[in-house]
Amino acid sequence: MVHAHGVRRRVHVGDLRPGDHACLLFASDEERASVLRDFVLGGLDADDKILCLTGDPAPSLPPVPPGRLEVVALAQFLTADGRFDAAALLARLRTAAARSRAEGCRALRVAGDPGAGGMPDLPRLLEYEALLDGEFGSGRALAVCQYDLRRCGPGTPDALESAHAGSVEADPLVRTADLVVVRTYRPQGLRIEGVVDAGAHRCLRDALRSVAAVREDVRLEMSRVEFLDLAGLRLLMTFARARAARHCTVELTGLLPHLRQVITMIGWDRTPGLRLGAAHAC
Amino acid sequence: MPADGFVHHACLYGTDAEFLATAVPFVRDGLAAGEPVLAATTPANLDLLRRALGERAHALDTAETAYFGRRPVERVSAFLRYHDRRARPGRRTRMLAEPVWCGRSARQVAEWKRMESGLNVLLAGLPVWMICPYDTRTVPADVARAACATHPARMDGRRLIPCAGCAEPAAYAAGVAPPRAPAPAGASRAGPTTAASAVRLFARERAVAAGLDGERLGLAVLAVCEAAAYLLAPAGTRLAVRAWEEPGQLVYELLCTGPATVPVFAGFRPPGDRPEPEDGLWLARSLADSLDIRAQGALTRLTLRVTGPRTFD
């Protein structure tokens, strides 16, 4: 999860492997539910045992077959003065990991919710994260720690992120050899990467449909688009018109300058609902 | 004149008076009938026309012809755009459209001749009456002769003279070939392939090697890819690509054998509200310096030229 130069990176939840310890900084319940769902279902596919260390209220989870999921309230590891009882937590994690191996599972998959209501302040959270980080380096477990950005004070997200090897985001809506489309939540929209040609129109159309119901302005982040053909551009224009019908807009950011030129040449820059945001930094 | 359908006349004039003898009644009658009237001609002719029309010139739409579509594909778009914007229900639209011929290369002259003929197909069905003036003092003799092959009739004042030699557009276009520049022995090659991605990678590699970068690189690759995607659309089509450099231009040649034949005037109409199979070819034509499609038996040869890195806008 850490690049050669130690730069933290963003990773799709489906790409997490045993030994990974990542954070999910979310700003909407929808974003959190989406990632958590992928995390749990990915665990079922990989034959992992799933352990949810929940706060209050506990997040909603997808249905899981009996015996594959254990839910534990984090509050039981708090001491009377609000500290984590590190020894108790470690013992619980090790027991769970050992049991998962004994049951023939690949690894223990931990979904932690340390930032939920009633949980400790930042220094103690970092202490908790350091504990998990040390424990998971062994490769017998993997964890995603969820933090609600709406509850974080200034500077807290950076500190929390630096306590993890990377931050996690939803699995791509589209992942082919040439095209990746990821749902984004801050702001709401999609990040499109790669090549959109005749073979990718259907995928792009489906991905756009997935954000059609969003009741606010949507942003399509396109700075990693290598190629986008005319029919692909038309899909974006059709999407913009549908946005306008909902009294919302779609903003295209990072658009390659030559594509902006093509849009203007055809007159599509006047499409209702379309905003051409910052250009590609090339 | 019929009120509906495209009517396409030439006007061969050798003096200012002859120009006005055709242009003034054409414009005046149109304005009197409440029809939108456009004059796209030289600044000198616009001046003559305005003075002759007097007060009525205020109602005339004008365009300096050199800027009203620099190339044939842009010219067709300009005509259609004017019609879309100014057409009135139940009324015909009139256009006086004098192409620029002087100073053009042999390739460009061939392309404009073909377009003049192609207008009979591309604008067919539109309620447009178009008169294309040709100044015999300046246009080459072959261009003046071509006017009679590309227009069903010519106007001389108010007199209509049928053009006996008017040719069927597709046959005419096939007979007016641009200068042939066969691929040199050292041309780079790719394919035959059915994969658009292989064409895209090749197009990009050759454009980079030719020194294109930034927007020009992106536009060149897009032009080639849109042309290739159009040719590859029918299942079973295989495409071979060749590329070479000429002074000022990078040339791509797309050769395909497949089940479908390409209509001669495909890709001249700009994209509309609904997607059409020829939209991408229109974009390729619009982004390229020139794009020529020829059928040779079962083989279709599409030659696309893009501006080289040493050309300045």
Side-chain angles (χ1 to χ4, degrees):
Chain A
M1 291 253 313
V2 180
H3 280 200
H5 303 295
V7 178
R8 290 186 304 279
R9 66 180 174 92
R10 201 163 36 190
V11 64
H12 299 304
V13 65
D15 292 337
L16 290 173
R17 296 288 173 267
D20 287 341
H21 174 214
C23 63
L24 165 63
L25 303 174
F26 63 91
S28 75
D29 296 340
E30 184 191 7
E31 177 181 11
R32 180 201 206 182
S34 167
V35 175
L36 207 52
R37 179 177 176 280
D38 288 344
F39 186 66
V40 170
L41 296 180
L44 297 179
D45 286 347
D47 278 337
D48 290 343
K49 182 74 177 278
I50 299 152
L51 174 66
C52 275
L53 297 172
T54 64
D56 182 30
S60 61
L61 297 170
V64 174
R68 296 293 299 276
L69 171 70
E70 191 176 355
V71 179
V72 175
L74 257 177
Q76 64 180 267
F77 303 107
L78 286 178
T79 61
D81 63 351
R83 286 179 177 279
F84 272 112
D85 182 345
L89 180 57
L90 273 183
R92 189 75 177 78
L93 288 173
R94 285 173 184 167
T95 305
R99 190 184 306 146
S100 70
R101 278 199 305 281
E103 291 170 0
C105 294
R106 181 189 69 158
L108 180 66
R109 178 174 285 242
V110 181
D113 192 13
M119 296 309 291
D121 55 16
L122 181 60
R124 287 172 183 170
L125 284 174
L126 294 177
E127 186 188 331
Y128 160 87
E129 293 294 359
L131 186 78
L132 255 61
D133 212 43
E135 184 62 14
F136 289 169
S138 65
R140 288 174 303 189
L142 65 160
V144 166
C145 303
Q146 308 150 57
Y147 289 100
D148 190 340
L149 288 169
R150 295 167 294 191
R151 305 163 77 110
C152 289
T156 304
D158 285 345
L160 290 170
E161 201 169 18
S162 64
H164 299 81
S167 67
V168 76
E169 66 179 1
D171 280 337
L173 300 168
V174 177
R175 177 148 52 181
T176 67
D178 294 323
L179 178 69
V180 172
V181 183
V182 182
R183 176 77 160 89
T184 57
Y185 294 90
R186 287 165 278 135
Q188 296 263 19
L190 302 173
R191 192 174 70 247
I192 305 170
E193 303 175 0
V195 172
V196 179
D197 61 11
H201 295 152
R202 178 175 297 203
C203 291
L204 180 60
R205 189 183 297 117
D206 290 347
L208 289 168
R209 266 191 205 125
S210 75
V211 284
V214 172
R215 292 167 179 237
E216 58 189 84
D217 293 343
V218 159
R219 179 186 290 178
L220 304 183
E221 209 293 304
M222 306 180 68
S223 58
R224 293 188 207 169
V225 170
E226 295 164 30
F227 178 84
L228 174 62
D229 66 4
L230 183 65
L233 271 180
R234 185 187 278 279
L235 289 176
L236 303 186
M237 300 304 127
T238 304
F239 179 69
R241 270 189 220 99
R243 292 270 86 203
R246 285 176 169 259
H247 308 289
C248 295
T249 65
V250 57
E251 181 186 16
L252 310 185
T253 63
L255 195 63
L256 286 161
H258 78 272
L259 292 178
R260 185 182 278 250
Q261 195 177 322
V262 169
I263 289 173
T264 305
M265 191 175 92
I266 303 172
W268 284 350
D269 52 325
R270 298 188 295 274
T271 302
L274 178 72
R275 286 192 297 141
L276 296 175
H280 188 276
C282 63
Chain B
M1 286 303 127
D4 50 24
F6 180 56
V7 178
H8 193 204
H9 295 154
C11 162
L12 300 174
Y13 68 94
T15 65
D16 291 353
E18 286 176 12
F19 169 75
L20 290 173
T22 301
V24 170
F26 177 70
V27 171
R28 200 171 46 205
D29 292 353
L31 294 178
E35 296 171 355
V37 184
L38 169 73
T41 179
T42 64
N45 279 349
L46 286 176
D47 208 28
L48 285 173
L49 196 52
R50 287 183 179 126
R51 273 191 274 150
L53 289 168
E55 278 299 305
R56 280 167 294 198
H58 288 292
L60 177 65
D61 295 325
T62 59
E64 190 175 329
T65 190
Y67 302 105
F68 195 71
R70 200 169 60 84
R71 294 174 303 118
V73 66
E74 294 167 354
R75 186 77 162 186
V76 173
S77 297
F79 289 144
L80 292 170
R81 199 166 50 238
Y82 177 77
H83 181 264
D84 282 352
R85 285 191 189 163
R86 302 287 281 122
R88 295 174 198 161
R91 306 255 164 116
R92 182 173 48 191
T93 299
R94 296 189 188 212
M95 300 186 199
L96 191 72
E98 179 163 12
V100 175
W101 296 101
C102 293
R104 294 209 183 277
S105 68
R107 178 182 311 284
Q108 290 171 329
V109 168
E111 287 170 353
W112 278 83
K113 285 178 181 172
R114 288 162 56 115
M115 185 210 71
E116 276 282 43
S117 185
L119 289 176
N120 298 310
V121 176
L122 295 165
L123 304 186
L126 278 189
V128 170
W129 182 7
M130 180 181 286
I131 294 183
C132 304
Y134 285 66
D135 187 343
T136 55
R137 293 168 297 188
T138 57
V139 300
D142 65 298
V143 170
R145 275 196 304 277
C148 296
T150 56
H151 298 78
R154 61 191 182 93
M155 289 293 284
D156 190 358
R158 285 184 178 275
R159 199 158 60 100
L160 184 67
I161 306 162
C163 293
C166 183
E168 193 276 318
Y172 179 80
V176 181
R180 177 96 175 92
S188 304
R189 289 156 196 271
T193 179
T194 57
S197 57
V199 179
R200 185 179 69 250
L201 295 173
F202 175 77
R204 184 178 176 81
E205 177 200 298
R206 296 328 305 162
V208 169
L212 293 181
D213 59 9
E215 288 186 54
R216 278 199 182 170
L217 171 63
L219 292 172
V221 173
L222 186 56
V224 176
C225 290
E226 292 292 351
Y230 175 76
L231 294 176
L232 284 170
T237 306
R238 290 169 67 78
L239 203 59
V241 194
R242 296 190 273 205
W244 66 94
E245 292 173 49
E246 291 179 358
Q249 289 182 323
L250 172 61
V251 187
Y252 292 93
E253 191 175 66
L254 281 58
L255 298 155
C256 74
T257 49
T261 54
V262 179
V264 179
F265 299 110
F268 272 98
R269 291 187 189 88
D273 290 340
R274 292 167 178 277
E276 297 290 344
E278 293 179 11
D279 288 350
L281 189 60
W282 172 86
L283 184 59
R285 283 192 191 279
S286 300
L287 299 179
D289 271 357
S290 75
L291 189 152
D292 182 63
I293 304 174
R294 309 239 128 222
Q296 295 171 316
L299 184 76
T300 299
R301 181 193 308 273
L302 187 153
T303 311
L304 182 150
R305 298 178 134 75
V306 297
T307 305
R310 291 187 178 276
T311 303
F312 291 85
D313 294 324

